[in-house]
Amino acid sequence: MTTPAVLILLGPPGAGKGTQARMLEEDFGLVQLSTGDLLRAAVAAGTEAGKTAKAVMETGGLVSDDIVLTILAERMGQPDVGRGVILDGFPRTDVQAAALDALLAGTGQRVTAAISLEVDDEAMVGRVAGRYTCAGCGEGYHDEFKHPATPGVCDKCGGTAFKRRADDNAVTVRERLKAYHTQTAPLITYYDARGVLERIDAMGDIATIRSRLGSIVGRVAAH
Ligand code: AMP
């Protein structure tokens, strides 16, 4: 690969960004970079930024661009990012999109593709309510759509402890959907204008979306 790919997954909460990003890691050797995961790690570590972020995340609003850009820049500076990244949950505002362009320009890079996962909002409330992850490795599961092969045991790491996100409740999800439509969805137009937008119907099952995404990534990212 000459220039590492920079892929963005756009889509509301529950669209499958995290699940699909992990699959793209496996399928293409890219690195998933989720600002939600980075923020949850800061919350768990009890840093100043984490404390500020926690209060906002509980309401379903967006954490300040300042905090998000600081944690993102730190992560982007790590060597594994050189393999190419899938940004999951970032950028979420026009300020973040412009900051990403500036950060990439510093190393002669640009966004390879922004892929919009198109879904039906109402279905997202149910999807989010049923999801949980392995506490050990972060593998995602769902009460309805994706069970571990052996009940209670993670397929990936064999762990037996699972957790659910505090913000995955119906009230907070509605706020997160609102934040997506007012602040993040305009980025679809932003990337369309730059000629890097791809759209996929993301209402199918996990394997179908994986293969739809795989054909786009195979086309846009040299590997
Ligand atoms: P996610 O894991 O992407 O669903 O994000 C969970 C929560 O973290 C969001 O509801 C926001 O409060 C916060 N968050 C994650 N990424 C960002 C971002 N790029 N900008 C602002 N807030 C974010």
Side-chain angles (χ1 to χ4, degrees), residues 35-36 39-40 57 61 63 68 89-90 92 96 165 167 176:
T35 43
L39 288 168
R40 280 183 286 278
M57 290 164 81
V63 173
V68 172
F90 180 90
R92 261 182 159 96
Q96 292 179 14
R165 278 170 49 173
D167 59 351
R176 288 160 61 202

Side-chain angles (χ1 to χ4, degrees), residues 1-177:
M1 178 186 299
T2 42
T3 319
V6 178
L7 302 171
I8 295 169
L9 294 185
L10 290 170
K17 300 184 297 296
T19 303
Q20 295 296 339
R22 286 173 73 93
M23 291 176 167
L24 290 173
E25 282 194 311
E26 275 177 26
D27 296 346
F28 293 91
L30 299 164
V31 174
Q32 175 193 19
L33 212 158
S34 152
T35 43
D37 284 350
L38 294 172
L39 288 168
R40 280 183 286 278
V43 170
T47 63
E48 276 315 305
K51 283 180 198 153
T52 310
K54 182 172 191 274
V56 180
M57 290 164 81
E58 279 167 357
T59 66
L62 293 187
V63 173
S64 74
D65 290 329
D66 249 17
I67 290 181
V68 172
L69 289 169
T70 304
I71 59 162
L72 179 92
E74 263 171 34
R75 182 66 186 90
M76 291 284 278
Q78 291 168 13
D80 61 336
V81 164
R83 304 207 308 261
V85 289
I86 314 147
L87 296 170
D88 152 15
F90 180 90
R92 261 182 159 96
T93 64
D94 53 1
V95 171
Q96 292 179 14
L100 175 64
D101 286 344
L103 189 71
L104 294 174
T107 52
Q109 288 174 273
R110 62 194 293 268
V111 169
T112 311
I115 307 170
S116 170
L117 306 190
E118 316 234 311
V119 290
D120 163 27
D121 265 21
E122 275 314 302
M124 293 309 102
V125 179
R127 269 203 200 177
V128 166
R131 68 187 185 181
Y132 59 99
T133 54
C134 170
C137 72
E139 182 68 3
Y141 296 97
H142 195 279
D143 293 329
E144 198 181 331
F145 308 116
K146 188 184 166 201
H147 303 279
T150 307
V153 182
C154 176
D155 297 342
K156 279 273 148 72
C157 74
T160 53
F162 295 87
K163 57 183 184 184
R164 288 177 194 262
R165 278 170 49 173
D167 59 351
D168 277 352
N169 60 77
V171 175
T172 313
V173 172
R174 294 216 181 268
E175 289 308 313
R176 288 160 61 202
L177 283 168

